[in-house]
Amino acid sequence: MTASIVILISGRGSNMEAIVNAVSAGKIAGKVTAVIANKPDAAGLNFAKKAGIDSICVDHNQYENRESFEAALIKRIDAYQPTVVALAGFMRILTPHFINHYEGRLLNIHPSLLPAFPGLNTHRRVLEAGVKWHGCTVHFITETLDCGPIIIQAAVPVLPDDDEHLLSQRVLTMEHQIYPQAISWFVNEQLSIEKDCVRIKNDKEAQFHSYQFEQP
Ligand code: GRF
């Protein structure tokens, strides 16, 4: 059976685009069956619609509380019998109920080299901290925010003249490379978790893949 990939977004959706494009290019053995946003004006919904993907809004503002919003969201997601649910810039805190419902098949991309800089405004905080390397992480979601087992990371240098925008663009380029890779491994059943660490099977090169950041 073809792997069903459901992607959750809140805004621009450039990571979602990268995943959709990787599927079209045959780099992921699956199908993006739905793109679901929690905001009606999420720009990414237009791209998904044009690509012929079911594009759905479950507007969190229309629900009384987190529980009822998530119940509606789960209903829409489960209609697609997802092999994997990929959060791509989905800006809602999820309850343990939601996370447990998708245990082991819920992925997220975070714009930092976790466990450093969990939470929001990572690029600004990286610049303020003066660290020399930054990056992004794809990880399984667990109940602790930005804390689940790490699948793949990519690092980029922080350069002397960087501002938040320049740095975020450099990181984003890498996000678009590593998220499709992580989903490809997942749908090929190459990932296992041992003592909170992710092992990648049948990819001897996995530790040595290099992802090129844009030269300034
Ligand atoms: C990305 O930087 C992602 O890492 C973070 O939110 C941003 C979403 O960007 N979680 P996009 O909507 O995928 O363009």
Side-chain angles (χ1 to χ4, degrees):
M1 211 175 72
T2 315
S4 165
I5 303 161
V6 172
I7 305 176
L8 304 190
I9 63 168
S10 292
R12 175 177 61 180
S14 69
N15 277 287
M16 175 270 296
E17 273 189 54
I19 296 163
V20 169
N21 291 337
V23 168
S24 305
K27 292 181 184 162
I28 298 175
K31 184 178 180 218
V32 178
T33 48
V35 171
I36 305 179
N38 65 309
K39 290 177 172 183
D41 59 352
L45 285 175
N46 296 326
F47 171 87
K49 221 174 282 166
K50 281 192 197 134
I53 299 164
D54 284 0
S55 309
I56 295 161
C57 176
V58 182
D59 183 353
H60 67 270
N61 283 318
Q62 303 294 321
Y63 296 87
E64 244 173 41
N65 52 39
R66 219 174 270 284
E67 285 70 25
S68 56
F69 163 65
E70 285 188 357
L73 189 58
I74 287 174
K75 206 169 164 195
R76 300 307 295 265
I77 296 172
D78 285 354
Y80 294 92
Q81 300 186 309
T83 312
V84 57
V85 178
L87 269 58
F90 186 72
M91 304 301 286
R92 296 297 295 171
I93 301 273
L94 297 166
T95 67
H97 171 69
F98 184 96
I99 292 168
N100 292 331
H101 185 80
Y102 296 108
E103 198 195 346
R105 53 185 171 136
L106 190 57
L107 307 187
N108 183 43
I109 184 145
H110 181 77
S112 81
L113 291 173
L114 290 172
F117 303 102
L120 297 173
N121 304 317
T122 55
H123 309 303
R124 188 191 317 157
R125 288 158 54 216
V126 157
L127 289 168
E128 284 166 0
V131 299
K132 302 302 180 204
W133 287 89
H134 183 32
C136 46
T137 304
V138 179
H139 63 97
F140 284 99
I141 294 182
T142 56
E143 285 186 28
T144 316
L145 187 70
D146 299 330
C147 237
I150 291 169
I151 299 169
I152 184 170
Q153 295 183 302
V156 301
V158 181
L159 301 173
D161 293 331
D162 272 347
D163 57 22
E164 251 181 278
H165 175 72
L166 278 172
L167 187 55
S168 70
Q169 286 304 115
R170 196 174 305 123
V171 171
L172 196 63
T173 310
M174 307 310 296
E175 294 185 30
H176 297 165
Q177 296 184 47
I178 66 170
Y179 213 173
Q181 173 66 83
I183 292 177
S184 172
W185 281 330
F186 185 92
V187 298
N188 291 341
E189 299 181 357
Q190 286 175 265
L191 302 179
S192 61
I193 302 173
E194 292 165 29
K195 295 186 189 153
D196 290 338
C197 292
V198 175
R199 304 276 165 223
I200 302 160
K201 286 176 273 186
N202 304 322
D203 189 341
K204 290 204 180 73
E205 308 287 308
Q207 301 305 318
F208 305 105
H209 284 308
S210 72
Y211 296 92
Q212 294 298 318
F213 56 85
E214 275 173 23
Q215 299 288 345

